[in-house]
Amino acid sequence: MKMDCHSADMDWHSLPYSSWTESHVSSWLESIGIKQNYILKLKEEEVTGSVLTTLQRDYLSITIGMKSGQIEHLLKKRDDLLKTGQCKTRTKTDSSGNTRRDKTENVFVSEETFDREVKRDSSNASKDIVKSGMASCEHRQFDQRPTNFRYVKHNILPPETGPENMIIPCHEYKSLETAHKLDSKRLKTKIASEVLRFACACMNMRANGTIHFGIMDSVKSTHQHGEIIGIPVQSQEDFVDALDYIEKCFKGSKHQCDARKCIRNRCFIEVLDKESAEKTLVVEYDIVPKASTVKDKLYSVGVPKFSEKDGKVKYEDQVPYHRVGANTPRISDDDELIHFIQDLREKDQQREEAESSSNETALDFREDQKRKLSILLTGGKTHMDNSLYYIIVTNKIQPEYLDSITFLVNMNLFCVFDFDPDSETTGLYSKCKEQKAVTPHFLHDYENNKRLGNSDLIDSLKLFDRVSWIYCNGRNNFPGQEVSSDENTWIKTKKKKMKKAVSLICNEILPRRSFVVVFLLMSDVQQPLVETFHEFYAEMNGHDCLAVIAESKENYKKWSSLAQLSCPISSLKEISIVDMPLSHVDATVQSIQLSKNQPERKLPVSNGGLCFLKSVDEAMLDSLEIISVDQCDDTNLEIMSEDEIKETELYFYHGGKINWINFWLADKRKCGVIIERDAYKEASEILDNVIHRRKAVRPIESLNIYHHPGSGGSTVARQMLWSRRTKVRCAVVKQSKEVATVCEHAVKLREENENDKNNCLPVLLLLEDQNPDYTDNLRRHLGNVIAIKKINPSVLCFILLICNRSNDPEKMCRASPSQTVAVTHKLSDQEKSLFLEKIDQLKFQFEDLDFNFILTFVLMSKEFQPSYIKDFVKNILDKIDHTSLITRLIRFGALLNCYVKDSYISVSHCEAYLGIAPTVRGAKYHAFVDNLSDEAKLIFIRDISTHIELIRIIHPLVAKEILSQLSVNLPQSSIAMELINNDVLINHRFDRDQFLKTITALFIRRNKKNRGDPEDTTFSPLIEKVRTERDGVQKAVDLMKAAFIALGKDAYVAQQLARLLYTNERFEEARQWAEQAKSLSPYDTFILDTLGQVYKWWFYHLYDSIEEKQPSPEMGVEIISIALKGISAFRVSEKTPKKETLILNNSFYGEVDVGCRLLKFLSEVDVFSKTTGDSELMDYLLTDYIPSEVKTPWQRFHQQLKGLERSLRQALECISEDLSYFQTDINEEDEELDARDPEQVYNPRKWLTKKSAVYAGFFCGTQKESDEVAENANTDTMDQGKILSPFQRQMNSYKLGGGNVTSILSLLYDKKPQRAGKKLEDIIGMYSGNLTCKDLDENELINFIFCQIALNCILPGSSKLLSLKQLQDLSKKFKTTGKHMSSASALFLLSLLFWPENSEEVSSADVQILLLAIDALQRLCEQKIQYMSQRKSRIVTHFFLAKARGLNKIVHRSAIDKRIKGTLSERKLKWLGGEVWKTKAVVQQLKRIEGWTENENLYVQSGHKDSKIRVIPRYSASLPHGNEKVTFYLGFSFDGVVAFDIQVM
């Protein structure tokens, strides 16, 4: 097998590809760098040469499973092969009989070799380098001992040479490929023969020379002339002893002595071999014929030869030798000898002159180190900015050099690979951590054993927020197991980890060419550092983005001799700065750095002065972007060119997001003034009023800015921060940061360098496009901290500047006018004049400016007139080539920008799609732009998000218009289909997670008015649009199917496809896709619910399709079957553990919908629709009775149908219980997946009341009986309890809204209290006047007591009311312990009824009931929310404790709401900010309770000294630390008794 592979490896070069076998193809694939697992698969599929020529992308992707990068590489190399053909030419020319070969053959090189080749000049390009991986290299320095010098196997030395100027040595090669195997005697003879013959020639020519053993001197098999092969040396003494032949071979002692002087001792040079561990050497002898030694002499030598005949060494006749070109022939005839002797005197003179010239002290050639260093670090730019990241690889730095590393601190560092285990105490880390925020890591931290996605891994390692400091060889004084290792141990244990870390950074985290790796060699170089270089060189495909800085020449020599194994010495020289003191490096780099790392930045303080915030401390507050008083002052304007200032300004007017540098340059009058819109002035007025109040209304204020997309709202918000950075502390909250972290950092920013917590400047926090939940949670967290720290509530602490996009900003402004500003596309008269004036300024400032390049600004000045946008887009689209890749990219960008908020395409994706070759670092974006058409340059704009460069369409309205005009000839479905079928874009590795999220949103995210969208949509806007096309539904289905595959069989896409299909009445397909989604995500409640929804709508469709008003039982079989399958599917979902984000499993709603509709259908079946049908249907459903007409047809349904009433009642109770616990809001992620009706999502309490009435309507008996009951309810309530059975009473209660707790409490929100009160009185009237707890089951008793409490809240003087004591007596039926403990609703009632009005009047029995009820209630709630931690704060508080007595001590939340003034959003803010507790009417009505804190818990006395009740702080962070006496307001909820507005006494 091995021989076959070797043979194939040798043969494929010489064969035409049509003759290649599978083995030849495998060898070729290996030579171009295809991964081994794919090579094996292709070999198994019998891919021969002829098959190779027809391979298609789909086959490689689907059958072989290759990734797109490998596919692109293979197909490109295959195409090169087809173009070039397989030609091979050999020529043999050699005057001396030695064989020489020049080959022209098909060359396949690795990517890194290709990168080097494109940069070579024409002379280098012609070098005879045939093998992949071969590189030219230089000889050892002549007549120097080989310290830290090595050769690399298979590298090519320059050809053998003859004498040039006598000082430059000539070279002769001998491979000893076979001879090295000879025994000692034969080997010494062979070496002596070659060395002495060559030495004699050099001495006669008066020329320096070197003879090399282990270098190919002829072309054999696959080796080239000059190729380094090395020889295994068994005994070095053989090469030493070979020179002992001098005395036997040279004539006379004088000549022998001269030979000894001229022939230097052998040099053994190690040969590095990537593929073998065998040690081989090159052995070299230098010949130095000094003029003083050889003058006036002609040397002859009789070379030794080993005679195989008699086994002895014999000597040839002594003859003179000379060098003719690269050959060493003897001087054969007399005439030639005479002529040669005559020329000796001239040669002696030339030698003396050459030696004299070489001994003169010449000025050393010094390359421009500053320029070279600048180019290496910036990629040719004039200065260093933040466009590139830097990775530092360093060994131990001595303490005396640590004062010269400021340039490193100023760099945009990504990570540091530190091989110094003492770095924390005496090395680089000890210095850098004082000035930069760093996170120490080890190599294993980058192994990603948890298999996190890229974004999660970046977050976990804090990459980009802080410098990752990677200890590569242990960390001393660290308690973990990370200890330093010797070289061999490191290679065994840590090399693999290093490889993973380097691969992860280069291939997954940082885009190619976006970073520079700097090797800082400051001490003796060891192998691990070199291994790291090899890994970076391989992963970065060459040396383009590598730099080496070495102060010591000796360190560099050792380094380069080892590093040349992967990178040729000549290339290493190109990237190395050697013998330049680190202090000079420091000064040089600092001189080109655009901005310096400020060790401290300035913040305003409350006394009107300034304080310093250390950069290290600031970096630890990484959830905030802090705007300092001296923001941007670190920018070096002397380095920043006029063109860069112009580009910065025009970028903003082209549509880019404004940056702080824009404001700074405007303040410095380096660019034009930025327009202040009217909205800025309005917002400033509101903000100034808030800041300058003598007494704050609330400690946390907010100001909302709602703006049309692209109207400048973000600019207004940033102008607010910039103009106030000297008066208050300002920061932007970064996206995707945890609320708790932001809160912690905001508090630290407020208190930085302030002494009095009650006298700090407020912090102005900008939150952009954050959802309301996030903002509310942040406000709540900040409020809790204010309470804990006992900050005076009249002190303004934080101002939340909330900037959100909206399609109707003015409507949002009307909802809360006192604290909201609208920014629209419409300009006021004053704004119009400002914009026209600005355009004139830009015309004057930039005479050659094409105004299309500031299109966004021009559009704003035109108020985004549709006609102007339409004409601009039409003009662009008329000019472009609609078949080009760039035009397709425009389509993709427009599609994403139009339908997905904040969407973009990374420049890396664009380069891959357009097939742009890797560019020189530092010019990545510009190289991409250079490949764009003029039209594309107008439409696209660059954006930067962390480490990845992005592009987007300049404005959403332009994107929308592009799609609109393209849709005339090219439907949007076609654009979307082309996008998701493009493997290059979908599988491109950089920013892949985010790109796929964008694609997912394109197909899943629905429009919602409550998020500022223009309308609610059933599906994503793209799918809604596609449905309007011709054959739109099928196109939408095909699109979703393609998206399902492209997104890796995404379960949620399958779910949405099922929704799309059942919405369009394709139920069988919908069922299949719902089952597919279920198989992919079997425990996701949304997906399981969708299967139920399929059956639900299938059932509705069948039901609505029946033409007969009274169908027969046989006609109903299919309908009932589908309905019951739906109910079963919903029940499977109900039993699944809830998602953490869910309040209630949606499937209960679906079960109720289907059950109620099924009851309606059953009531219409002819058997049950007769005069007595209702009662017969009740008998069928509630008893064992089965009518004969349905017995056989419905045989498989009887059991389920007879359990229908009970299951419906249980589902309604489950919905009621969850709505009693939780608020009814839903987060954005869940909203996309929720298949419920809008009323179920947004007003579930109203839906529950309606459905309860519908359900009860079927079981109240006949219509006649119901009418009689209603009549009795109006005439004689005393007898009604006797007339109705418990079941009828329960059903009638349901109809009136008293069937469950949620429906009863919903009556308290009725806008007509008299109507709600009448309903409650009617419900209570159905019960006997002398009611006892024995008369009712637990559920009825719960509902009855809740009706009593609700009635007292609405009509406190009603005659139907019982006293508090009577209700307490009734409630004693509830069990607070044991196996049969009562429900949460019952326990809630006990906590409400038995809470003491006066602790002195409560009995020990009542206290025990109260304690047990609250304890049980808290335990039940903890079980319920154990998987829903983030929803704890959303538990509803239904009632509050008032100062009144009896039932009047119970006040419902709605009563407090009525006492709070303002719009809905303003009232919500007062609840969140705690302002409600300062409202005079609320303070007068509610009772403050005294308690205490102990061991981080809150307690209140229960009425007996030995007992206490734990009260839950509604906002846990508001609980003060330590043991304090406190007061608070008491609330009642299903998680126990809760405390609000906790105040320390």
Side-chain angles (χ1 to χ4, degrees), residues 942-955:
R942 177 179 61 152
D943 214 339
I944 297 176
S945 172
T946 63
H947 56 293
I948 295 178
E949 286 187 290
L950 325 165
I951 61 157
R952 57 175 173 82
I953 304 296
I954 55 172
H955 196 279

Side-chain angles (χ1 to χ4, degrees), residues 405-555:
I405 54 96
T406 305
F407 74 102
L408 291 177
V409 177
N410 292 338
M411 280 181 172
N412 187 25
L413 294 181
F414 175 76
C415 69
V416 176
F417 286 85
D418 195 340
F419 282 87
D420 178 10
D422 295 311
S423 187
E424 184 177 13
T425 53
T426 60
L428 188 60
Y429 181 77
S430 67
K431 191 74 173 179
C432 284
K433 70 178 181 180
E434 297 172 2
Q435 303 176 62
K436 245 178 158 48
V438 295
T439 306
H441 291 126
F442 295 112
L443 289 171
H444 63 72
D445 291 318
Y446 280 80
E447 288 187 295
N448 194 16
N449 293 324
K450 295 181 180 178
R451 300 186 180 276
L452 299 175
N454 269 5
S455 56
D456 292 333
L457 180 65
I458 288 169
D459 287 342
S460 69
L461 296 177
K462 293 289 183 184
L463 303 182
F464 301 105
D465 288 331
R466 303 172 191 172
V467 179
S468 174
W469 205 280
I470 308 168
Y471 281 92
C472 301
N473 190 20
R475 180 179 175 188
N476 292 341
N477 300 319
F478 185 72
Q481 300 300 312
E482 288 290 332
V483 296
S484 58
S485 312
D486 59 40
E487 292 181 84
N488 291 333
T489 305
W490 189 94
I491 289 170
K492 291 176 186 175
T493 59
K494 294 191 172 92
K495 181 180 175 181
K496 188 179 290 185
K497 295 177 182 179
M498 171 64 77
K499 186 180 181 72
K500 285 184 179 180
V502 172
S503 177
L504 181 72
I505 290 170
C506 295
N507 295 319
E508 304 295 336
I509 296 176
L510 289 174
R512 194 174 172 195
R513 313 282 170 153
S514 70
F515 61 99
V516 178
V517 182
V518 180
F519 283 80
L520 199 57
L521 313 179
M522 297 306 298
S523 55
D524 183 45
V525 174
Q526 293 189 315
Q527 191 63 34
L529 193 70
V530 180
E531 294 293 340
T532 307
F533 177 82
H534 293 328
E535 296 304 333
F536 272 112
Y537 187 87
E539 294 295 345
M540 295 166 68
N541 299 323
H543 66 273
D544 277 346
C545 296
L546 293 168
V548 181
I549 299 174
E551 187 175 87
S552 163
K553 284 184 178 179
E554 287 307 311
N555 285 338

Side-chain angles (χ1 to χ4, degrees), residues 104 199 312 371 430 577 579 697 854 916 984 991 1080 1143 1308 1417 1488 1499:
T104 305
K312 293 181 179 179
R371 183 174 181 276
S430 67
I577 302 294
D579 199 26
V697 176
I854 56 167
I916 299 174
V984 175
D991 204 34
L1080 293 169
I1143 298 173
L1308 292 166
L1417 200 57
R1488 286 196 79 86
Y1499 297 100

Side-chain angles (χ1 to χ4, degrees), residues 75 151 223 374 486 503 599 713 763 782 808 940 1007 1171 1280 1413 1445:
L75 294 180
Y151 284 126
H223 293 303
S374 174
D486 59 40
S503 177
V763 176
L782 291 171
D808 194 350
F940 283 129
N1007 274 358
T1171 307
Q1280 186 177 327
R1445 298 178 67 84

Side-chain angles (χ1 to χ4, degrees), residues 598-615:
Q598 292 176 295
E600 295 174 321
R601 298 212 297 159
K602 297 170 187 171
L603 295 178
V605 288
S606 55
N607 61 17
L610 297 173
C611 70
F612 288 108
L613 173 65
K614 290 183 179 179
S615 292

Side-chain angles (χ1 to χ4, degrees), residues 1025-1201:
K1025 174 67 179 175
V1026 171
R1027 290 169 74 191
T1028 64
E1029 296 177 4
R1030 185 177 179 182
D1031 300 324
V1033 172
Q1034 185 55 46
K1035 287 181 179 178
V1037 169
D1038 293 341
L1039 257 182
M1040 293 293 280
K1041 288 179 179 178
F1044 173 73
I1045 298 298
L1047 295 169
K1049 296 190 175 180
D1050 188 289
Y1052 292 125
V1053 175
Q1055 182 225 16
Q1056 293 297 306
L1057 178 53
R1059 287 186 61 242
L1060 177 64
L1061 288 164
Y1062 75 61
T1063 303
N1064 289 281
E1065 299 179 357
R1066 293 164 63 170
F1067 299 108
E1068 182 55 42
E1069 291 176 81
R1071 182 194 64 76
Q1072 293 172 5
W1073 279 100
E1075 293 282 7
Q1076 172 78 282
K1078 179 182 174 182
S1079 69
L1080 293 169
S1081 192
Y1083 303 110
D1084 189 289
T1085 52
F1086 282 119
I1087 285 173
L1088 295 173
D1089 178 76
T1090 301
L1091 183 58
Q1093 295 289 340
V1094 171
Y1095 286 119
K1096 168 185 164 179
W1097 292 102
W1098 197 348
F1099 161 56
Y1100 282 11
H1101 173 71
L1102 292 173
Y1103 178 39
D1104 294 337
S1105 301
I1106 292 180
E1107 297 178 357
E1108 289 81 358
K1109 290 186 178 180
Q1110 297 181 351
S1112 66
E1114 288 75 14
M1115 293 178 65
V1117 170
E1118 184 183 6
I1119 296 175
I1120 296 171
S1121 173
I1122 296 296
L1124 292 178
K1125 284 180 181 178
I1127 290 174
S1128 298
F1130 284 129
R1131 285 180 184 163
V1132 170
S1133 175
E1134 290 162 9
K1135 293 172 184 176
T1136 304
K1138 297 177 187 178
K1139 280 179 64 179
E1140 187 173 310
T1141 52
L1142 272 175
I1143 298 173
L1144 172 67
N1145 193 307
N1146 299 339
S1147 299
F1148 288 107
Y1149 293 87
E1151 182 179 355
V1152 171
D1153 276 337
V1154 174
C1156 289
R1157 195 82 180 264
L1158 179 57
L1159 285 173
K1160 188 171 186 294
F1161 171 74
L1162 294 176
S1163 68
E1164 293 171 355
V1165 175
D1166 57 8
V1167 177
F1168 303 121
S1169 62
K1170 300 170 186 173
T1171 307
T1172 59
D1174 281 350
S1175 59
E1176 188 166 8
L1177 177 59
M1178 293 308 102
D1179 287 343
Y1180 172 61
L1181 293 175
L1182 301 175
T1183 68
D1184 293 335
Y1185 169 69
I1186 300 175
S1188 58
E1189 295 89 339
V1190 303
K1191 187 169 186 176
T1192 302
W1194 295 0
Q1195 184 175 2
R1196 55 197 173 101
F1197 309 139
H1198 295 315
Q1199 185 176 356
Q1200 279 182 276
L1201 290 174

